[in-house]
């Protein structure tokens, strides 16, 4: 499905509002939308909501052999997917420009900033390392995917626990979560992306643009920063010229925003850990707001299955006994046997195909005749490139048999069989051609 | 890879004198659902059965690609996305089962030459995944206002090695089970819409599972009704 286009008056309205320092959702210029973080029951699973933008993050791990040039380092892998659920314009299984750009930016933000200690992921140098895979799924697109995705990625990484391993000699033992507590990843810092949208060639600036604002913006500046105010990545897209002061101002704003978000993330992580430790209820079921009328819960429902047995017996008693199936194989022709009754042969009656065979035989002769005629004609004209048309006529014949656009699929099948059967007669013109060549 | 296959009851006729399922101990895990939680799709729902959670989004009836257009009914498309990695054969097989079930109840002829797309995202898998997918799809279709002949629900039954019937099994119970059977039932007279099974069982057990699924479906449909009542209530 195509994206609904933005009308000119909508565009003008949005730009006018921005000029007047107003935003559609009532935010101020530097305001972020509400961020909500909820965790799943598994480790390393979280949903981050940034306003209406929603990203699901899941971290998983696997023991693999390391890259040759990095024998002592674990592997980090990021994969952001734009699900069709997020917006109808996203097609499944297509690498759009946006997706490539977002994935690259995420990698730069999280892998290249070395926020995860990859050396601690090494189990046996050169042989076994942990591969950490971060899957991010965009569930709802309401602008600023990159900020939501970067938050989801770092939250999921912080929440993740990998199984404990021990190495004794050459033996690597993997412990189940029941045997030994899984261990968290060692995280040096938490880089978070902050997006700035520029309008009217950089005159106006907005933090955390929503989908509508993204569609009318001229340029985008993404700054990835951690709470120590270290810039991890900086990317400007859209081709606008920015002044030095503008970039500096943006980095200052980013510092404030990142500090706020980091605090929020830490609080959410602490909360989840506390609940898990106390043995309380956790998971997505608990994060559904109960007071909403769109949400509804039902406690465990016992199902009365006492009469199930009687019911089943009744049905079986009423049902006709299954027909005795003949399980003796019947040999039709060498190579074709039948076990049981089966269904009717959909390949057509043998008589019918024979008839077809005759027809085909007739047309085949005509074709042969044609090719002979052609040959004679060519002989008359005696041009240099005689071979080509002859070859053409040969292939034409075969094509005609296979691709004849018949509405009845049965017939097509029969014809394909015939094509195989006719291999022998179709050789005739070839032989002839060879003779001709010899004559030439 | 799960070797899910649609089977005919009579093919697997065995002894038929297996010990029957025990009545008590059969219960559905706690259910929760939230509707209309995504802003972009026409209808959306998240459905939780115990720790299994599915998020569903429905687009439609909407514009259809010319190559997929059907001139006398709507084109129904189901996309199931796994949580980790790319969709594989197991997902494709489930997609097909869900699509066939939906096609049986959605009144596609009312919207010819349109597309109805159901996107399902696995949020967490803790057993009875297909049943949860079906339930999420149904609620999302209702939320999108797609006309349907009846509602439908999915119920999974597992049979232990000693023939004990477990409704709505967890991942662990599914793993230990001798057979896992998933049924899709409609809400009008609890008739079977789809069945997929894995493992060995007798015909008597199949009928018992079906009867148990029908009993369980009453609870699911009551849950649907109550959640919809709440949704369209004023408070």
């Amino acid at each position: 499905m195509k994206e609904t286009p933005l009308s000119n008056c909508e565009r003008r309205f949005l730009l006018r509002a921005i000029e007047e320092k107003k935003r559609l959702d009532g935010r101020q210029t530097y305001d972020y939308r509400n961020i909500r973080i909820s965790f799943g029951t598994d480790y390393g699973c979280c949903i981050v909501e940034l306003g209406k933008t929603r990203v699901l993050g899941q971290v998983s791990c696997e023991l693999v052999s390391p890259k040759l040039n990095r024998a002592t380092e674990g592997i980090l892998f990021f994969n952001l997917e734009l699900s069709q659920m997020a917006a109808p314009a996203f097609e499944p299984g297509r690498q759009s420009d946006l997706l490539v750009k977002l994935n690259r930016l995420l990698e730069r933000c999280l892998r290249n900033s070395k926020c995860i200690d990859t050396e601690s992921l090494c189990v046996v140098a050169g042989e076994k390392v942990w591969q950490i895979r971060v899957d991010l799924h965009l569930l709802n697109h309401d602008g600023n995917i990159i900020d939501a995705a970067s938050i989801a990625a770092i939250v999921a990484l912080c929440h993740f626990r990998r199984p404990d391993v021990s190495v004794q000699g050459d033996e690597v033992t993997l412990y189940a979560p029941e045997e030994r507590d899984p261990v968290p990843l060692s995280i040096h810092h938490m880089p978070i992306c902050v997006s700035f949208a520029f309008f009217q060639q950089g005159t106006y600036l907005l933090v955390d643009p929503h989908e509508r604002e993204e569609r009318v913006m001229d340029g985008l500046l993404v700054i990835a920063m951690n709470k120590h105010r270290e810039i991890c990545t900086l990317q400007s897209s859209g081709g606008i010229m920015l002044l030095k002061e503008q970039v500096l101002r943006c980095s200052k704003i980013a510092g404030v925003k990142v500090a706020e978000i980091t605090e929020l993330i830490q609080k959410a992580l602490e909360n989840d850990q506390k609940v898990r430790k106390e043995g309380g209820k956790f998971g997505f079921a608990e994060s559904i707001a109960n007071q909403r009328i769109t949400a509804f819960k039902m406690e465990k429902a016992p199902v009365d299955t006492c009469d199930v047995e009687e019911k089943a017996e009744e049905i079986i008693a009423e049902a006709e006994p299954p027909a005795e199936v003949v399980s003796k194989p019947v040999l039709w022709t060498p190579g074709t046997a039948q076990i049981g009754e089966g269904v009717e042969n959909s390949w057509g009656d043998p008589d019918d195909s024979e008839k077809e065979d005759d027809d085909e035989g007739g047309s085949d002769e005509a074709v042969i005749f044609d090719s002979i005629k052609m040959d004679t004609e060519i002989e008359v004209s005696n041009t240099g490139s005689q071979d080509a048309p002859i070859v053409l006529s040969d292939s034409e014949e075969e094509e005609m048999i296979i691709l004849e656009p018949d509405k009845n699929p049965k017939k097509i099948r029969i014809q394909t069989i015939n094509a195989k059967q006719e291999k022998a007669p179709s050789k005739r013109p070839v032989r002839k051609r060879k003779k001709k060549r010899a004559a030439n | 890879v799960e070797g899910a296959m649609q089977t005919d009851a009579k093919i697997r006729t065995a002894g038929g004198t297996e010990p029957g399922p025990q009545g008590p101990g059969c219960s559905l895990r706690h259910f929760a659902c939230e509707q209309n939680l995504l802003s972009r799709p026409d209808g959306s729902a998240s459905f939780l059965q115990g720790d299994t959670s599915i998020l569903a989004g429905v687009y439609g009836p909407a514009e259809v690609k010319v190559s997929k257009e059907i001139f006398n009914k709507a084109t129904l498309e189901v996309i199931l996305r796994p949580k980790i990695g790319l969709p594989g054969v197991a997902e494709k097989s489930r997609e097909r089962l869900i699509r066939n079930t939906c096609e049986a109840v959605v009144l596609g002829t009312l919207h010819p030459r349109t597309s109805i797309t159901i996107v399902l995202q696995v949020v967490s898998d803790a057993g009875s995944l297909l049943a949860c997918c079906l339930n999420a799809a149904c609620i999302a279709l209702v939320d999108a206002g797609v006309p349907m002949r009846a509602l439908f629900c999915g119920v999974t039954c597992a049979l232990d090695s000693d023939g004990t019937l477990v409704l709505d099994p967890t991942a662990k119970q599914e793993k230990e089970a001798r057979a896992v059977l998933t049924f899709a039932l409609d809400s009008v007279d609890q008739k079977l819409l789809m069945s997929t099974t894995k493992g060995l069982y007798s015909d008597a057990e199949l009928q018992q599972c079906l009867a148990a699924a029908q009993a369980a479906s009453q609870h699911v449909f009551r849950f649907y009704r109550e959640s919809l009542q709440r949704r369209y209530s004023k408070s």
Side-chain angles (χ1 to χ4, degrees):
Chain A
M1 222 164 86
K2 280 178 215 124
E3 184 91 47
T4 28
L6 198 67
S7 66
N8 282 342
C9 62
E10 252 180 306
R11 181 182 297 272
R12 271 199 302 273
F13 169 73
L14 281 164
L15 287 172
R16 271 276 293 286
I18 290 160
E19 275 170 39
E20 291 172 17
K21 304 261 178 214
K22 281 177 187 144
R23 291 177 87 167
L24 261 185
D25 44 11
R27 279 185 287 160
Q28 296 295 311
T29 317
Y30 301 134
D31 283 358
Y32 247 86
R33 285 171 288 180
N34 281 337
I35 301 173
R36 191 164 159 252
I37 301 167
S38 45
F39 296 99
T41 40
D42 311 339
Y43 279 121
C45 178
C46 70
I47 289 184
V48 170
E49 288 165 57
L50 178 63
K52 280 175 184 160
T53 299
R54 207 181 267 243
V55 177
L56 167 71
Q58 171 70 56
V59 180
S60 50
C61 64
E62 199 185 348
L63 275 175
V64 293
S65 49
K67 286 176 185 164
L68 286 174
N69 52 347
R70 299 232 194 289
T72 58
E73 279 180 31
I75 301 164
L76 265 177
F77 185 77
F78 294 93
N79 183 35
L80 173 67
E81 297 240 11
L82 302 178
S83 161
Q84 212 189 0
M85 196 190 289
F90 296 146
E91 277 172 46
R94 208 170 62 101
Q95 287 273 325
S96 62
D97 291 347
L98 176 73
L99 182 57
V100 174
K101 196 185 104 179
L102 290 171
N103 264 320
R104 185 79 200 100
L105 194 55
L106 260 181
E107 273 182 13
R108 274 173 48 191
C109 168
L110 289 151
R111 190 200 287 152
N112 299 5
S113 71
K114 301 225 177 349
C115 65
I116 310 283
D117 182 13
T118 46
E119 292 212 343
S120 72
L121 295 172
C122 176
V123 182
V124 182
E127 275 178 37
K128 273 204 163 50
V129 295
W130 284 108
Q131 184 188 43
I132 305 292
R133 187 190 166 98
V134 187
D135 279 284
L136 298 163
H137 300 272
L138 183 68
L139 303 176
N140 198 40
H141 174 33
D142 194 34
N144 207 358
I145 302 169
I146 188 65
D147 289 15
S150 81
I151 296 170
I154 198 71
V155 170
L157 282 167
C158 288
H159 189 247
F160 182 64
R161 303 281 185 276
R162 66 171 168 84
D164 202 3
V165 283
S166 72
V167 185
Q168 279 172 331
D170 289 340
E171 230 172 86
V172 180
T173 336
L174 204 72
Y175 294 100
E178 294 85 34
E179 292 173 304
R180 271 197 202 180
D181 279 342
V183 281
L185 304 172
S186 68
I187 291 162
H188 294 313
H189 60 99
M190 288 158 72
I192 287 158
C193 290
V194 178
S195 305
F196 299 89
F198 289 94
F199 302 86
Q200 310 281 8
Q201 298 307 313
T203 328
Y204 300 101
L205 171 149
L206 290 182
V207 175
D208 182 27
H210 62 72
E211 200 251 348
R212 284 292 146 91
E213 286 166 347
E214 270 187 354
R215 284 169 80 166
V216 297
M217 73 186 175
D218 289 330
L220 186 74
L221 179 72
V222 181
I223 299 178
M225 202 186 254
N226 60 20
K227 70 171 178 191
H228 313 298
R229 302 177 68 85
E230 293 163 336
I231 292 176
C232 301
T233 296
L234 197 139
Q235 178 176 292
S236 159
S237 55
I240 47 153
M241 306 292 179
L242 291 175
L243 298 168
K244 195 174 84 186
E245 289 79 42
Q246 274 177 313
V247 178
L248 281 173
R249 197 171 59 155
C250 285
S251 72
K252 254 179 215 153
I253 300 165
V256 178
K257 292 292 161 201
V258 165
E260 282 172 18
I261 295 167
T262 312
E263 202 180 322
L264 190 91
I265 291 173
Q266 262 154 0
K267 218 184 267 170
L269 283 166
E270 270 166 30
N271 264 349
D272 183 69
Q273 220 157 26
K274 210 169 85 185
V275 173
R276 271 170 204 265
K277 218 180 230 172
E278 287 168 359
K281 282 182 183 172
F282 53 89
F284 291 124
E286 299 313 308
S287 61
I288 291 182
N290 238 346
Q291 63 276 13
R292 275 193 211 160
I293 61 163
T294 53
F296 188 69
K297 285 181 195 175
M298 180 179 82
E299 282 311 303
K300 252 187 177 178
V303 180
D304 186 25
T305 51
C306 296
D307 59 337
V308 161
E309 217 167 320
E310 292 148 37
K311 244 191 209 171
E313 269 167 23
E314 237 170 70
I315 291 167
I316 291 165
E318 276 174 27
E320 289 173 33
E324 281 302 315
V325 183
V326 188
S327 54
K328 224 168 113 189
V330 185
L331 195 71
W332 289 108
T333 48
T336 312
Q338 186 185 329
I339 303 169
E341 283 185 13
V343 283
E344 207 165 289
N345 187 3
S346 62
W347 287 61
D349 291 325
D351 297 347
D352 211 43
S353 74
E354 255 175 38
K355 232 186 261 167
E356 284 282 328
D357 214 349
D358 287 345
D359 282 19
E360 284 296 316
S363 67
D364 198 40
E365 264 170 32
V367 172
I368 292 161
F369 181 67
D370 257 356
S371 65
I372 294 165
K373 227 167 89 183
M374 258 188 175
D375 282 0
T376 48
E377 270 170 22
I378 288 154
E379 252 189 311
V380 169
S381 61
N382 208 5
T383 46
S385 60
Q386 311 138 323
D387 278 9
I390 298 165
V391 172
L392 230 168
S393 79
D394 194 32
S395 68
E396 210 173 54
E397 176 199 15
E398 265 186 22
E399 251 176 40
M400 194 195 80
I401 293 160
I402 300 164
L403 290 177
E404 206 162 50
D406 207 321
K407 270 170 198 161
N408 193 349
K410 256 190 203 170
K411 271 193 180 169
I412 290 174
R413 275 196 197 141
I414 292 158
Q415 278 165 1
T416 48
I417 300 163
N418 287 340
K420 276 175 200 160
Q421 288 170 348
E422 277 160 17
K423 275 273 156 76
S426 71
K427 268 179 192 161
R428 255 152 57 196
V430 180
R431 240 180 278 140
K432 252 195 186 135
R433 194 205 314 152
K434 273 182 188 161
K435 260 188 215 162
K436 286 269 152 62
R437 246 186 235 152
N440 286 335
Chain B
V1 177
E2 261 186 25
M5 47 186 173
Q6 279 166 312
T7 50
D8 193 15
K10 277 157 195 168
I11 292 171
R12 289 173 176 251
T13 307
T17 47
E18 296 276 322
Q22 277 113 49
C26 278
S27 69
L28 299 170
R29 292 177 286 178
H30 64 266
F31 278 35
C33 92
E34 190 176 356
Q35 296 168 58
N36 209 0
L37 69 164
L38 304 179
S39 67
R40 292 300 289 266
D42 297 317
S44 56
S46 98
F47 204 94
L48 291 101
Q49 272 175 249
D51 289 334
T52 306
S53 168
I54 303 284
L55 188 66
V58 171
Y59 287 97
E63 182 192 339
V64 64
K65 265 191 204 160
V66 182
S67 58
K68 287 180 183 164
E69 188 180 284
I70 304 172
F71 69 90
N72 60 355
K73 62 174 184 177
T75 310
L76 200 78
E77 219 181 327
V78 175
I79 300 164
L80 177 62
R81 305 186 59 87
K83 200 163 144 193
I84 297 165
L86 297 167
V89 181
E91 276 73 28
K92 288 279 163 228
S93 141
R94 286 202 185 104
E95 273 176 14
R96 217 184 103 129
L97 293 170
I98 298 163
R99 197 187 63 222
N100 287 348
T101 313
C102 294
E103 268 174 356
V105 289
V106 170
L107 295 169
T109 42
L110 293 180
H111 302 283
R113 299 171 63 209
T114 58
S115 78
I116 296 169
T117 313
I118 305 169
V119 191
L120 299 160
Q121 171 73 54
V122 179
V123 177
S124 64
D125 178 9
S128 313
L129 189 72
L130 184 61
C132 194
C133 284
L134 286 162
N135 293 337
C138 181
I139 293 281
L141 281 167
V142 171
D143 188 44
V146 175
M148 289 195 279
R149 187 145 34 80
L151 298 182
F152 61 93
C153 77
V155 180
T156 302
C157 304
L159 285 166
D160 273 357
S161 48
D162 55 343
T164 319
L165 194 148
V166 182
L167 275 170
D168 196 16
T170 59
K172 198 173 156 232
Q173 285 169 326
E174 265 185 358
K175 218 175 178 182
E176 290 164 353
R178 170 164 53 98
V180 179
L181 304 93
T182 304
F183 304 105
L185 302 158
D186 76 295
S187 65
V188 177
D189 36 19
Q190 280 81 44
K191 286 272 165 65
L192 191 66
L193 292 170
M194 182 275 293
S195 94
T196 172
T197 64
K198 196 183 129 190
L200 284 167
Y201 53 86
S202 69
D203 60 341
E205 282 173 328
L206 174 78
Q207 293 298 346
Q208 282 163 4
C209 287
L210 190 54
Q214 281 172 334
S217 74
Q218 299 285 2
H219 289 266
V220 182
F221 290 128
R222 202 173 62 220
F223 174 73
Y224 281 5
R225 191 171 297 116
E226 280 169 18
S227 66
L228 286 168
Q229 254 169 14
R230 185 176 153 97
R231 162 117 156 78
Y232 293 106
S233 67
K234 278 179 183 166
S235 54

